Amino acid sequence: MLECRACQRKTLNLFLSLGQMPLVNRFIEPEALSCDEKRYPLDVAFCHNCGMVQLADVVPPTEMFSDYLYFTGASEPMRQHFLSMVTEILESVGASEGDLVVDVGSNDGTLLSQYPGWVRRLGIEPSSNLAQEAERHGITTMCDFLNVAAANRAVELHGNATIVTATNVFAHVDDIRGFLDAAQVLLGGSGALVIEVPYLLDMLTNVEFDTIYHEHLSYFAVRPLLGVFESQGFEVTSVKRIPVHGGSLRIYVRPSRNPQHSPIAKEFVSAELEAGLGTNAPYRRFATNVAAIRSRLCELVISLKDSGEAVAAYGAPAKGNTLLNYCGITADMIDYVTDTTPAKQGRYTPGTRIPVVHPSALVERTPDYALLLAWNYKDSILKKETEYRKNGGKFIVPIPYPTIV
Ligand code: DWN
């Protein structure tokens, strides 16, 4: 019996199985199409002691984050998001000329490049292809996973940080206490750690089951996190909900010898208990809703294909591969998927073998329908693709329930 990653009690209840799933960011090269990629069980559990939601199985991070094909900079809305995040952090935490700011899981350096030139910037990124891309953009980057040893090396070379950020990283980490210990080393007793993670309440409410995949070990709510922050010498100073990635939390914590979380943290806990996150009910409801999406989406795509409609997909996000594989939607039903990431173009989606092509294909080929796998950017995409829609093209938005726009 697995123990809970947050409270370390053996109190996990499995509530959803998405089957044997390939690694969703492992897009297949043409020459590897005949090989069967590895699949792993994708089962989700919740802890009935502290409420933490987590995967039942852990895939070694080196399997997932070596040659990583998710480039933050490929999504323009993410640049905007990080610019507003950095502006908010500098206003609320503050920094002086020459201070060090560190981004953990810094990807291609998109977040760090939003800081003004008067701070010193350091990325810590385990994927060598991304670390090199960041260096090409002038962002000093340590190619490493964050742990205490790496943090000590960073401090030796660059000094302590005033600000440490970790966006869509903390949920990817198995040893969250070790991660926080390393953040303490980077901060040296002062400054702030700012964490962004997808919010469990949004995932359950909007049935965002496709955001469940092996990279995401934890699905956080505030309640299970408070004890973890306290035990590692951090106090929560601010929490806010933000819309990015289908709904996330931005949590500010700072080192403290006697952690006293801000009242806002307790407000989140009450709202989470109010929403029933401490009971089985929302998880059972979620599993039922996931099954309903699968049957509706399959029925819709199959009926469109049977009527001779051309169906493509738009955006090849990691989550799209959970959705396609779980729903059994393959290259027989989807002709191609467009994506702005050069490293994904020319490859095929894992498990479903749909070719990934340049976004220009949408207007050049004008498929009757495009399954919007990158639904978390729906507003900006619908605005951007007016020509496709003017030519009669329609989007199928799969989440929170399949609809045609
Ligand atoms: O946690 C993670 C999240 C934050 O990012 C990582 N584990 C992996 C990744 O997940 P994802 O791939 O689901 O993230 P996105 O940002 O939803 O991916 C969007 C994809 O769509 C990218 O491949 C870029 C592409 N895209 C596009 O083709 N046209 C994006 C936009 C905005 C577009 O207009």
Side-chain angles (χ1 to χ4, degrees), residues 236-258:
V236 173
T237 56
S238 169
V239 189
K240 64 187 283 190
R241 294 178 78 164
I242 49 178
V244 74
H245 290 304
S248 297
L249 290 174
R250 180 177 296 159
I251 309 171
Y252 288 75
V253 296
R254 68 181 171 204
S256 166
R257 294 184 194 290
N258 174 25

Side-chain angles (χ1 to χ4, degrees), residues 100 102-105 122 124 142 144-156 159-161 163-166 169-170 173 175-190 192-193 195 228 231-234 253 255:
L100 179 69
V102 174
D103 186 34
V104 182
L122 175 67
I124 299 177
M142 276 175 65
D144 220 330
F145 287 98
L146 179 66
N147 50 42
V148 168
N152 280 316
R153 280 198 300 280
V155 172
E156 262 160 53
N160 285 120
I163 295 162
V164 174
T165 48
V169 177
F170 199 52
V173 172
D175 177 8
I176 54 179
R177 287 178 166 75
F179 183 96
L180 292 173
D181 292 344
Q184 290 283 11
V185 170
L186 290 173
L187 289 167
S190 62
L193 167 64
I195 289 175
V228 178
S231 64
Q232 301 323 109
F234 281 105
V253 296

Side-chain angles (χ1 to χ4, degrees), residues 2 5 18-19 34 80 89 96 106 123 133 145-146 158 160 163 166 171-172 192 219 243-244 247 294 318 321 366 368:
L2 260 176
R5 179 169 293 111
L18 294 176
S34 55
Q80 304 310 321
I89 292 175
S96 311
S106 49
E133 178 75 6
F145 287 98
L146 179 66
H158 304 278
N160 285 120
I163 295 162
H172 299 54
Y219 301 81
V244 74
R294 174 168 62 175
N321 293 315
T366 315
D368 301 302

Side-chain angles (χ1 to χ4, degrees), residues 70 172 213 215-216 245 318-319 339-340 344 376-377 384:
Y70 175 73
H172 299 54
Y213 44 88
E215 295 176 19
H216 295 169
H245 290 304
K319 62 173 131 334
D339 195 281
T340 50
K344 293 182 182 177
N376 46 316
Y377 301 115
K384 181 165 74 163

